[in-house]
Amino acid sequence: MYQLVMDYAQHRFSVNMNHYLNQNKKLPIEKEDYAVATSFQELKNIQYKIYSEYRTIDEVCDLMEKRLFILRGPYQRQEEMNLKQASWQIESIFMDIPLPKIIIHQYQENGKEIYEVLDGQQRLTGIIGFKGRLYLNEFGELEKTQKHKFSLHGLKVFEDLNGKTFDGKNDIGEYFQKKINQYVLEFSIIKESENSIYSPKQNFKRINESINNLKENTYRRWNVECDKTVMTAIENAVQKHIGSFFPPYKDLHKKYQAIFTTCVRQVFYQQDKTDVIYRWRMNDKREVSNWLNKIDDTNRYHYLTSVEQVDESLTRIEKWLSTIEEDIYQLIHCRKYQIGEERVVLLCFLLFDIKEEILLRKSSEIKAILHDFYHQMSEQKRKDFSSFVHETKVKMNRFTNGI
């Protein structure tokens, strides 16, 4: 490995490194486990091969509608609804200011070249939304952006265009329409055929999880920039409950954090409300990501309070579980290593408000309701599921009131 690094430095910077190497000193023995590349040629083979390509905005829109340009892969975060930022981007196009490069994963499918966006989704949704064009989502479906046909606002240079749309009765006019349509975007293309050892998801993570892309006091989790204070509180709370509430399997820690975060979101929305509604479904994970993305100085305390409340609730449930002759797997009717996220979240939801002394005193009755609930859960139709959960929560409320 030492020789490999020296060879690379000599090739890259055209310098002779031999006189820096002490020939009399015996180098440490290297473990083969860490030898990813054994020669400079192999190192060259695992480096990214990236090409530049240029496309007008009109060409990109046409590729999307021909299903050859995927704007949001399954690993991408949800579209951000920031109309002011999108408006400024359009104004930059009017001023011929170059936009950052769009990074693309390119691959062959049925003899056609497919473009899949790795970085630049938010910029493109702003442009496409303003034009009122459709994009190709992760399910292979054409759909509208959340910013579909939005009106410009907050422009500083072209103030007279504020309130105008791309087309329609109050449009920006032919001159500016042409500026947008013919504006050239620069792509950095990572061809799958020449970078086969890297998957699109790996490339996305490498590009988007860089610390340099993050705001102060945030880091990226679940494809969103999360407030560091809140996420640290969640991670610390989850760690406390591993081995008691959560089984101690290292490969499931991230799953436990996702479950805990979902419980926190549920509590966040039910605070100060008498009508408690079960708000989480398996297909709503994007909503959890959007919720995390809304943390700021005005509501951080509310988020942290919700974390504390879920932490306290799990502690009560743990103590109760330690007194009954069943573990969490038996209680929620699932097999080991296959903890159903929704089943755990539902357990927290149903038992959240019940005090420890009531849990212990009414243990057999509570357990009977839970067994009946989980037994019937798989038989419920999705459209009736919320009502089914609500009915069970009503049954649990009598314990909340100490009956």
Side-chain angles (χ1 to χ4, degrees):
M1 182 62 76
Y2 300 100
Q3 187 67 45
L4 172 62
V5 173
M6 189 177 77
D7 289 345
Y8 176 79
Q10 290 183 148
H11 176 83
R12 177 68 177 80
F13 301 107
S14 301
V15 294
N16 186 349
M17 304 290 291
N18 284 314
H19 62 279
Y20 292 105
L21 187 64
N22 185 347
Q23 303 293 342
N24 298 320
K25 185 176 179 180
K26 188 175 181 180
L27 294 175
I29 297 174
E30 300 176 75
K31 295 182 179 179
E32 292 184 4
D33 292 348
Y34 297 96
V36 177
T38 57
S39 69
F40 177 59
Q41 185 58 42
E42 288 183 28
L43 183 62
K44 287 175 65 178
N45 290 339
I46 64 174
Q47 290 179 318
Y48 277 97
K49 297 176 181 64
I50 301 177
Y51 301 88
S52 292
E53 190 172 304
Y54 300 87
R55 296 270 186 175
T56 66
I57 288 174
D58 245 7
E59 287 177 321
V60 172
C61 291
D62 289 341
L63 284 171
M64 287 188 189
E65 294 186 1
K66 291 176 182 177
R67 300 178 184 272
L68 300 176
F69 195 107
I70 301 172
L71 180 56
R72 189 170 72 220
Y75 42 81
Q76 286 271 15
R77 62 193 173 106
Q78 187 78 325
E79 177 187 348
E80 291 180 2
M81 192 63 176
N82 191 329
L83 296 182
K84 187 175 183 180
Q85 190 172 3
S87 296
W88 285 357
Q89 179 178 248
I90 298 298
E91 188 173 47
S92 295
I93 291 174
F94 294 157
M95 299 169 67
D96 293 318
I97 296 174
L99 296 181
K101 293 180 182 180
I102 308 294
I103 303 180
I104 299 290
H105 173 80
Q106 189 184 71
Y107 61 94
Q108 286 271 344
E109 187 174 273
N110 299 323
K112 297 179 180 179
E113 292 286 355
I114 307 296
Y115 295 75
E116 186 171 319
V117 175
L118 297 177
D119 185 64
Q121 178 210 169
Q122 302 299 338
R123 295 192 293 277
L124 286 173
T125 53
I127 295 168
I128 294 161
F130 184 63
K131 279 175 59 65
R133 300 287 291 266
L134 304 178
Y135 76 95
L136 193 64
N137 66 20
E138 64 270 38
F139 305 111
E141 302 165 343
L142 289 170
E143 67 172 292
K144 299 175 182 178
T145 71
Q146 293 181 22
K147 299 183 278 285
H148 190 68
K149 294 190 175 183
F150 71 92
S151 302
L152 297 172
H153 73 279
L155 302 188
K156 302 295 184 182
V157 178
F158 297 92
E159 293 183 355
D160 55 326
L161 295 180
N162 283 321
K164 294 187 178 294
T165 56
F166 181 79
D167 52 22
K169 294 182 179 179
N170 192 30
D171 64 53
I172 57 176
E174 186 178 348
Y175 172 79
F176 289 108
Q177 289 171 345
K178 190 174 181 180
K179 289 277 287 186
I180 292 174
N181 290 336
Q182 296 183 356
Y183 184 87
V184 177
L185 297 168
E186 184 177 359
F187 294 160
S188 290
I189 306 289
I190 301 174
K191 295 185 177 182
E192 186 175 88
S193 58
E194 299 183 33
N195 299 275
S196 58
I197 65 172
Y198 303 109
S199 71
K201 186 174 182 180
Q202 287 173 325
N203 288 331
F204 174 81
K205 291 181 71 175
R206 286 180 182 277
I207 293 163
N208 287 279
E209 291 190 357
S210 168
I211 191 68
N212 297 322
N213 292 335
L214 302 181
K215 300 174 187 175
E216 187 178 0
N217 295 323
T218 67
Y219 60 75
R220 194 170 294 281
R221 178 59 57 86
W222 300 308
N223 290 339
V224 294
E225 278 184 35
C226 301
D227 181 271
K228 194 170 184 178
T229 305
V230 174
M231 292 312 303
T232 300
I234 289 174
E235 290 176 356
N236 290 341
V238 169
Q239 195 61 41
K240 284 168 53 180
H241 299 288
I242 291 176
S244 47
F245 185 84
F246 295 117
Y249 304 127
K250 290 183 180 180
D251 55 336
L252 294 180
H253 282 201
K254 286 186 178 180
K255 187 173 185 177
Y256 298 156
Q257 289 175 13
I259 291 172
F260 189 93
T261 303
T262 305
C263 293
V264 173
R265 178 175 178 266
Q266 170 65 42
V267 171
F268 180 89
Y269 282 119
Q270 73 185 50
Q271 287 187 22
D272 303 322
K273 294 182 180 179
T274 54
D275 185 20
V276 180
I277 302 170
Y278 178 60
R279 291 178 170 268
W280 191 76
R281 304 294 305 121
M282 286 297 289
N283 59 358
D284 281 347
K285 289 185 179 180
R286 284 182 183 167
E287 294 302 317
V288 177
S289 294
N290 288 341
W291 171 74
L292 284 171
N293 208 26
K294 294 176 182 176
I295 303 172
D296 57 32
D297 291 338
T298 65
N299 60 22
R300 185 178 294 106
Y301 176 78
H302 195 174
Y303 278 78
L304 291 171
T305 301
S306 301
V307 172
E308 291 176 7
Q309 290 178 323
V310 173
D311 183 14
E312 292 168 0
S313 177
L314 291 191
T315 300
R316 292 196 299 270
I317 297 172
E318 283 169 4
K319 291 180 179 178
W320 176 62
L321 284 171
S322 68
T323 66
I324 64 178
E325 297 178 354
E326 295 180 357
D327 59 22
I328 189 171
Y329 300 107
Q330 295 168 306
L331 189 67
I332 66 176
H333 291 197
C334 71
R335 291 176 291 173
K336 288 192 176 184
Y337 308 105
Q338 293 185 356
I339 289 185
E341 294 176 51
E342 188 169 30
R343 288 174 175 265
V344 178
V345 174
L346 281 163
L347 179 67
C348 298
F349 173 69
L350 294 172
L351 301 184
F352 176 75
D353 297 313
I354 304 177
K355 296 179 180 179
E356 182 183 340
E357 59 188 66
I358 304 298
L359 277 171
L360 297 175
R361 184 155 51 88
K362 300 287 185 177
S363 181
S364 58
E365 295 175 55
I366 292 171
K367 192 166 68 170
I369 293 173
L370 288 173
H371 274 297
D372 186 54
F373 172 77
Y374 286 112
H375 179 72
Q376 295 184 47
M377 180 177 166
S378 58
E379 300 172 5
Q380 294 296 314
K381 293 180 180 179
R382 304 315 283 179
K383 65 178 181 179
D384 301 325
F385 191 77
S386 294
S387 298
F388 170 64
V389 174
H390 181 72
E391 289 169 7
T392 308
K393 182 64 174 175
V394 170
K395 293 178 184 177
M396 290 295 187
N397 283 345
R398 62 191 181 95
F399 302 114
T400 302
N401 299 324
I403 298 174

